[in-house]
Amino acid sequence: MKPNYILHIGFDDTDSRNGMCTTFLAYKIVEYLKKEHAEFLDYPYLIRFNPNIPWKTRGNGAVAIKIKTDRPDAIKKKIIEFIKKYSATNEGANPGLVFYQQEKIPKHFSEFGQLALCQLISRNAARKFALQNGLESVCLGNGQGLVGAIGAIGYSFDDHTFELISYRNESNLGKKREIFKESVKKMQEATFPRTFNSYDEEKDRILIAPHGPDPVFFGVRGENLDSVIKGASLVQATEKFDGYVVFRSNQGTGAHLKNELDVFNLKPFSSGIITGKVVDEPKIELGGHVIFSISKDSQKIKCAVYKPTGITQTASKLMKGDLIKVGGGVRKASQNHQRILNVEFIEVLKLQKNQKTVNPVCQQCKKRMKSKGKNQGFECVKCGKTFSHKILQQIPREIEKRLYVPVLSAHRHLTRPIQRIGKLNKKIEFDDSRKWFHIYSNRNSGE
Ligand SMILES: [Zn+2]
């Protein structure tokens, strides 16, 4: 018997705005590996990284695959060919591919993955990491994809979700997708909250399908394998899809907004949270965006809440002294604006009392007293009762001590949906007997 090797395969940044997509490449590679009788050791990973870096492709998603095989060299060779064939390098993609032929992923690999979630990592740092750790790597374009490729194989989940992504039959590529909205609506009703972000009731829009020319037909996100398979089976459309693959993912986990940002060294393009007190009250800017400042350890940080998030109302009701936790990404300073935190959520931890001084009320007549003149006290005009000073009146706050998250239409891949707040999926065991990958027999027959 030939010896078996464990091979970790990671790749990223193969897609472009004009059609190619990293998960489609994964679909092709899984199909090939199945034909090669490679043994899968886990679901493929679909890992979203820091959404606040400037050169991200559409979703900044990387893929990792873990297999056992007796012919790793042939497989590596073939996968390199796949990357070259299916990457949109001429359209600005900068693919990175890594192989790691070891059973266990060392702990510092996952630290690299954590960093890639929250910071900007240079491709040089990624190259150095690959060299020092015995990773075989292939870069095309400028090689920026190496960061995600390493981050994906090293990713360790403390919470995860699944996404079933279905792909279009090649004969339908470029044609308009026609997915019946009603079926998606019904699917959501039948499977929510085990599936999520499928249909936006407020905007009456389906969220499972991309609009561009890429080969993704639709994707169903959910809490486990059963729910995404069930959800996908309920989606109806005018065309049949080619097949699907289910990914284990960090989508919907809010993983990029867990670390406390260093307010003394607020790095541009980093993501994270800051807990601080409101020091500059909110101002509503042209376009409806809300700007305010918080202070932590005597450092003042300017925060911006953009109109499309749907939480500008909340932000505009903040008051000086409120203690809040905000999560978001740091925008780079430029000539026109200073460094600013783009807020993705607000958690109100402590509300300052809103009070003002008013004339006292006559206890008997329940009427507000009139001033008798400067420092002369107050008098009830009805019964003549007097009182010496003004009193404090509580004005109810219009916001509550709770978490405020963006509306569905402003969600990013990593945004934790409201129903997932406090939910943690411990890593669900891989079950290869389940249909996590499938190709329909109607392939290439068109509609
Ligand atoms: Zn009175």
Side-chain angles (χ1 to χ4, degrees):
M1 228 178 85
K2 283 191 239 171
N4 269 316
Y5 301 94
I6 288 179
L7 185 61
H8 301 265
I9 307 156
F11 48 95
D12 186 24
D13 204 351
T14 65
D15 48 353
S16 74
R17 295 195 180 274
N18 300 319
M20 266 313 138
C21 133
T22 303
T23 74
F24 178 66
L25 180 55
Y27 173 65
K28 287 290 184 195
I29 289 176
V30 170
E31 182 187 6
Y32 156 73
L33 292 171
K34 286 266 180 192
K35 276 187 196 146
E36 285 293 315
H37 304 292
E39 184 192 340
F40 282 81
L41 301 175
D42 202 344
Y43 304 105
Y45 290 2
L46 170 57
I47 306 298
R48 305 288 177 176
F49 288 109
N50 188 357
N52 296 307
I53 57 171
W55 51 70
K56 64 172 180 128
T57 46
R58 283 165 304 175
N60 204 17
V63 168
I65 294 168
K66 185 180 180 185
I67 55 162
K68 200 186 242 181
T69 175
D70 57 10
R71 43 196 306 255
D73 293 334
I75 281 175
K76 287 175 201 166
K77 207 175 141 215
K78 186 73 185 176
I79 289 176
I80 293 168
E81 280 170 31
F82 268 111
I83 295 275
K84 287 183 176 158
K85 182 176 169 197
Y86 285 104
S87 290
T89 27
N90 52 349
E91 291 159 18
N94 294 299
L97 165 68
V98 292
F99 299 113
Y100 188 62
Q101 197 173 311
Q102 293 288 340
E103 175 148 9
K104 284 243 172 344
I105 294 279
K107 205 172 159 226
H108 62 283
F109 279 45
S110 62
E111 284 157 11
F112 187 95
Q114 281 304 311
L115 271 186
L117 256 179
C118 314
Q119 284 184 23
L120 182 149
I121 296 179
S122 73
R123 42 186 192 265
N124 278 335
R127 272 199 198 103
K128 209 170 138 195
F129 187 95
L131 265 173
Q132 285 171 345
N133 291 285
L135 286 155
E136 299 163 64
S137 65
V138 178
C139 294
L140 300 172
N142 71 13
Q144 188 58 45
L146 202 54
V147 176
I150 299 171
I153 64 165
Y155 197 84
S156 63
F157 293 94
D158 46 15
D159 177 26
H160 68 106
T161 61
F162 285 87
E163 181 167 8
L164 179 153
I165 303 184
S166 66
Y167 298 91
R168 304 183 82 181
N169 204 305
E170 260 170 65
S171 60
N172 291 320
L173 288 184
K175 291 183 199 160
K176 194 173 181 284
R177 281 177 196 76
E178 290 211 48
I179 295 173
F180 300 126
K181 201 195 271 176
E182 274 308 304
S183 73
V184 180
K185 223 166 140 174
K186 278 192 186 139
M187 179 269 274
Q188 177 154 290
E189 281 162 17
T191 58
F192 184 87
R194 284 165 290 121
T195 65
F196 58 87
N197 291 16
S198 304
Y199 172 76
D200 184 349
E201 279 176 37
E202 216 167 290
K203 303 227 150 136
D204 187 29
R205 244 178 27 155
I206 62 170
L207 302 171
I208 58 170
H211 301 286
D214 65 306
V216 170
F217 192 27
F218 63 79
V220 175
R221 290 157 282 236
E223 301 293 339
N224 54 49
L225 193 68
D226 287 330
S227 56
V228 295
I229 290 175
K230 167 86 177 156
S233 74
L234 297 174
V235 176
Q236 291 170 358
T238 51
E239 66 183 70
K240 291 210 170 62
F241 52 90
D242 189 72
Y244 68 75
V245 57
V246 178
F247 294 91
R248 194 193 285 281
S249 180
N250 65 348
Q251 295 176 144
T253 65
H256 66 308
L257 299 180
K258 283 196 313 195
N259 62 309
E260 189 83 30
L261 286 164
D262 178 3
V263 290
F264 296 100
N265 183 19
L266 215 50
K267 289 186 187 145
F269 314 121
S270 54
S271 300
I273 51 176
I274 302 174
T275 306
K277 263 193 179 154
V278 177
V279 283
D280 287 337
E281 295 211 341
K283 285 197 181 75
I284 301 173
E285 298 216 322
L286 202 69
H289 314 308
V290 174
I291 311 285
F292 60 92
S293 298
I294 57 172
S295 160
K296 189 197 171 188
D297 300 332
S298 321
Q299 300 294 307
K300 190 161 145 180
I301 301 107
K302 206 169 172 186
C303 301
V305 182
Y306 291 98
K307 181 88 178 167
T309 59
I311 50 172
T312 48
Q313 274 288 346
T314 304
S316 70
K317 303 270 160 61
L318 289 167
M319 269 179 58
K320 223 180 244 185
D322 286 345
L323 183 69
I324 61 172
K325 182 156 100 182
V326 285
V330 180
R331 196 173 76 183
K332 198 182 166 188
S334 76
Q335 270 184 327
N336 300 322
H337 57 79
Q338 66 191 100
R339 197 162 290 181
I340 200 163
L341 185 82
N342 287 351
V343 174
E344 291 173 41
F345 75 77
I346 301 172
E347 186 174 359
V348 179
L349 301 173
K350 222 170 173 182
L351 281 171
Q352 188 71 4
K353 279 193 180 123
N354 188 12
Q355 45 194 18
K356 60 176 180 184
T357 56
V358 292
N359 291 3
V361 173
C362 171
Q363 291 306 311
Q364 204 174 319
C365 313
K366 307 288 173 214
K367 285 201 68 133
R368 201 157 298 281
M369 294 180 172
K370 281 256 153 66
S371 169
K372 292 200 288 180
K374 205 171 180 226
N375 298 326
Q376 307 275 305
F378 299 87
E379 185 179 42
C380 174
V381 286
K382 216 170 155 193
C383 71
K385 217 175 219 163
T386 59
F387 198 76
S388 61
H389 55 271
K390 286 203 173 197
I391 55 164
L392 278 177
Q393 187 187 41
Q394 302 294 334
I395 300 160
R397 294 295 306 268
E398 290 169 83
I399 50 176
E400 297 165 46
K401 231 166 72 180
R402 69 167 176 92
L403 180 66
Y404 291 90
V405 297
V407 291
L408 205 49
S409 52
H411 276 209
R412 304 162 110 171
H413 290 296
L414 279 162
T415 307
R416 186 174 267 274
I418 193 93
Q419 80 281 359
R420 295 205 82 249
I421 305 292
K423 187 172 170 64
L424 281 186
N425 285 330
K426 293 261 175 263
K427 196 167 165 180
I428 296 166
E429 284 303 309
F430 174 60
D431 183 355
D432 202 20
S433 69
R434 310 296 310 282
K435 236 183 185 175
W436 60 271
F437 171 77
H438 189 63
I439 286 178
Y440 288 91
S441 51
N442 66 315
R443 169 176 269 184
N444 293 330
S445 65
E447 274 135 80

